[in-house]
C-alpha cells in the first residue's frame, strides 16, 4: 500500500441530501466503501486531493487513512454534476494487492499509418481483467506503417502482462482506410430577390 497515493478520510454517520449538500460546501465528497463481504462504510473525502487523484485516472487505486484499519480501495464509480461536472459522490471498492479486478480503460491510438491513409477508431474503451497493483491507465494501439485495409480487433491487441480482455475478442478496434474525398457543392449564385415593397415601388414608378 505504500506505493499507492494516500487520502486522509473521515467516517460519517449523518446521511441525507441536506448533509451531502453541507459536506460539498465544506469541500468534502460523500463516498461509500464496500467489498469483500463487509458492511458499507460511509466516508467523506477531501475534494481537492481526491480530484487530483482521479482527474487523469478513473480507476485509481488509493490507500485510505483515518479509518480503524488502513484500506486499499479502487475507485469504482464517480458521480458528477451534469452541468458543472463537479464530483458529487464516489463508490470505492475494497481490494487486496494480490487480486484482479474488472475495469474499463480507454484505448489510445498512437503512430501513423502509411502515407495518405487514416486510422478510424471504432472502439473507444476496453473492459479488462487486471491486477489491482498494475491496472493500466490506457491501452495503446500502434498503427505505425499499417497498410490500407488493415482491420484490428480486440484479439489483435497486445495487452500488458497479466491483463486479460473482457470485451468481445471479435469487436473491431480500428480500421485503416484511404480518406474519402468529399465534394463540397458550390454555393448557388445569389439571386436578386425583389421584396414586396420594391415590387410595389416599381409598380408605382411604372404608373407614373
Amino acid at each position: 500500500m505504500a506505493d499507492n497515493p494516500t487520502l486522509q478520510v473521515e467516517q460519517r454517520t449523518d446521511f441525507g441530501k441536506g448533509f451531502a449538500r453541507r459536506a460539498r460546501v465544506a469541500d468534502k465528497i460523500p463516498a461509500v466503501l464496500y467489498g469483500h463481504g463487509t458492511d458499507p462504510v460511509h466516508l467523506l473525502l477531501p475534494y481537492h486531493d481526491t480530484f487530483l487523484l482521479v482527474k487523469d485516472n478513473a480507476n485509481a487505486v488509493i490507500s485510505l487513512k483515518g479509518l480503524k484499519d488502513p484500506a486499499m480501495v479502487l475507485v469504482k464509480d464517480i458521480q458528477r454534476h451534469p452541468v458543472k461536472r463537479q464530483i458529487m459522490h464516489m463508490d470505492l471498492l475494497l481490494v487486496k494487492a494480490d487480486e484482479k479486478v474488472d475495469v474499463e480503460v480507454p484505448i489510445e491510438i498512437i503512430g501513423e499509418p502509411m502515407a495518405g491513409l487514416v486510422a478510424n477508431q471504432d472502439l473507444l474503451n476496453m473492459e479488462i481483467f487486471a491486477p489491482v497493483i498494475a491496472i493500466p491507465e490506457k491501452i495503446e494501439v500502434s498503427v505505425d506503417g499499417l497498410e490500407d485495409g488493415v482491420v484490428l480487433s480486440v484479439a489483435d491487441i497486445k495487452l500488458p502482462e497479466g491483463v486479460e480482455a473482457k470485451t468481445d475478442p471479435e469487436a473491431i478496434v480500428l480500421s485503416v482506410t484511404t480518406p474519402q474525398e468529399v465534394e463540397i457543392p458550390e454555393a448557388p449564385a445569389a439571386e436578386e430577390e425583389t421584396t414586396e415593397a420594391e415590387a410595389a415601388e416599381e409598380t408605382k414608378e411604372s404608373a407614373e
Side-chain angles (χ1 to χ4, degrees):
M1 292 175 59
D3 294 332
N4 299 323
T6 301
L7 278 181
Q8 185 72 32
V9 303
E10 306 170 36
Q11 191 165 341
R12 61 187 172 100
T13 55
D14 294 329
F15 306 96
K17 292 183 178 179
F19 173 78
R21 191 178 301 112
R22 293 192 298 273
R24 295 183 190 110
V25 170
D27 286 332
K28 304 288 185 180
I29 302 172
V32 61
L33 169 63
Y34 58 90
H36 287 288
T38 61
D39 293 331
V41 178
H42 298 273
L43 307 172
L44 286 176
L45 314 179
Y47 190 96
H48 181 69
D49 292 344
T50 304
F51 173 79
L52 292 178
L53 291 180
V54 303
K55 70 184 183 73
D56 295 322
N57 184 10
N59 300 309
V61 176
I62 304 168
S63 297
L64 303 184
K65 291 186 176 181
L67 303 176
K68 181 180 178 181
D69 298 309
M72 178 188 294
V73 302
L74 168 69
V75 175
K76 197 63 178 175
D77 184 62
I78 301 176
Q79 298 170 24
R80 299 181 183 272
H81 190 282
V83 178
K84 299 178 181 179
R85 305 305 297 162
Q86 295 173 328
I87 299 175
M88 305 294 286
H89 187 275
M90 290 175 58
D91 289 359
L92 305 175
L93 178 65
L94 188 64
V95 294
K96 298 179 180 179
D98 60 353
E99 69 179 303
K100 286 188 173 184
V101 289
D102 290 324
V103 293
E104 185 177 80
V105 295
I107 297 173
E108 180 176 311
I109 305 301
I110 59 174
E112 297 290 339
M114 292 186 67
L117 304 178
V118 294
N120 306 297
Q121 186 170 356
D122 295 289
L123 192 64
L124 299 179
N125 300 289
M126 183 187 297
E127 295 180 2
I128 61 173
F129 189 51
V132 164
I133 58 174
I135 299 174
E137 293 187 14
K138 58 190 175 184
I139 300 297
E140 293 185 342
V141 180
S142 175
V143 295
D144 262 343
L146 294 187
E147 300 178 351
D148 188 16
V150 171
V151 176
L152 298 183
S153 66
V154 169
D156 298 317
I157 307 306
K158 183 178 180 179
L159 299 175
E161 184 177 355
V163 175
E164 306 169 39
K166 300 286 286 186
T167 299
D168 182 353
E170 296 183 1
I172 302 301
V173 176
L174 64 86
S175 58
V176 178
T177 61
T178 302
Q180 298 296 316
E181 293 185 4
V182 178
E183 293 186 6
I184 302 177
E186 294 183 4
E191 297 181 359
E192 295 182 0
E193 297 183 357
T194 305
T195 65
E196 291 182 5
E198 291 172 336
E201 185 65 27
E202 291 177 358
T203 301
K204 180 180 178 181
E205 292 176 354
S206 298
E208 293 175 353

